[in-house]
């Protein structure tokens, strides 16, 4: 199945472990536009104890964890219950040391073979451009705030 990747990234003025810890918060909430993707509930602005304890098969967002490495990356595949709506989708978040602290990269891989799937992929690309960017900027702000208090 042909996949297309959508990549977004931000530089974060915080150390890798702090950014990765906030990335693990995606198990708790989406950290994007809460009115749209969190039923109006505000994503927590403090770290949730234990959210950084990852396990294969664990849920985060609409995905299930398939691979992770502490302070490096988190990868998920679309959960079975969401495949009918979204199709074949995978997401990877990676944190790497950067000049300003950490480079946070999100990559969404979306498969499509039929015309319907290709149209759905195009819609997901637009949604991801808006929602994914907001998500990374929110994680950036929270990690930088946490690093400033450390």
């Amino acid at each position: 199945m042909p996949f297309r990747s959508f990549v977004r990234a931000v530089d974060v003025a915080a150390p890798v472990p702090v950014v990765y810890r906030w990335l693990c918060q995606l198990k708790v909430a989406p950290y994007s536009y809460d009115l749209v993707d969190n039923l109006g509930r505000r994503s927590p602005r403090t770290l949730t104890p234990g959210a950084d304890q990852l396990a294969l098969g664990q849920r985060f967002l609409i995905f299930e964890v398939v691979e992770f490495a502490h302070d490096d990356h988190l990868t998920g595949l679309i959960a079975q219950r969401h495949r009918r709506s979204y199709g074949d989708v995978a997401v990877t978040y990676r944190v790497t040391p950067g000049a300003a602290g950490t480079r946070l990269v999100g990559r969404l891989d979306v498969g499509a073979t039929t015309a319907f799937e290709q149209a759905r992929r195009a819609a997901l690309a637009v949604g991801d451009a808006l929602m994914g960017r907001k998500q990374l900027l929110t994680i950036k702000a929270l990690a930088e705030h946490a690093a400033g208090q450390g």
Side-chain angles (χ1 to χ4, degrees):
M1 170 177 289
F3 280 82
R4 183 162 295 151
S5 296
F6 304 98
V7 180
R8 59 203 180 278
V10 294
D11 289 318
V12 185
V16 165
V18 173
V19 179
Y20 189 80
R21 180 60 183 87
W22 276 100
L23 191 58
C24 291
Q25 284 289 117
L26 294 177
K27 286 176 29 183
V28 177
Y31 288 91
S32 184
Y33 293 102
D34 288 332
L35 187 60
V36 176
D37 62 4
N38 203 22
L39 304 174
R41 291 183 307 260
R42 184 177 167 110
S43 296
R45 294 318 197 236
T46 58
L47 292 170
T48 302
D52 57 334
Q53 302 302 311
L54 301 177
L56 298 180
Q58 209 169 38
R59 185 183 75 80
F60 77 100
L61 303 172
I62 59 171
F63 303 95
E64 292 177 359
V65 174
V66 294
E67 185 177 328
F68 65 93
H70 187 72
D71 291 343
D72 186 71
H73 72 278
L74 169 59
T75 298
L77 290 178
I78 192 83
Q80 186 64 40
R81 67 185 176 279
H82 296 293
R83 283 206 176 116
R84 184 176 183 118
S85 298
Y86 296 98
D88 291 319
V89 182
V91 66
T92 297
Y93 296 91
R94 180 173 297 279
V95 291
T96 55
T102 300
R103 183 78 169 159
L104 171 58
V105 179
R107 188 183 84 210
L108 188 70
D109 297 312
V110 185
T113 53
T114 68
F116 171 76
E117 290 170 346
Q118 291 170 357
R120 178 174 57 196
R121 179 171 63 195
L124 282 172
V126 171
D128 182 63
L130 299 170
M131 306 294 278
R133 177 155 176 74
K134 171 66 170 153
Q135 181 185 70
L136 293 188
L137 291 174
T138 301
I139 291 171
K140 168 188 169 70
L142 292 167
E144 288 178 346
H145 178 74
Q149 288 185 349

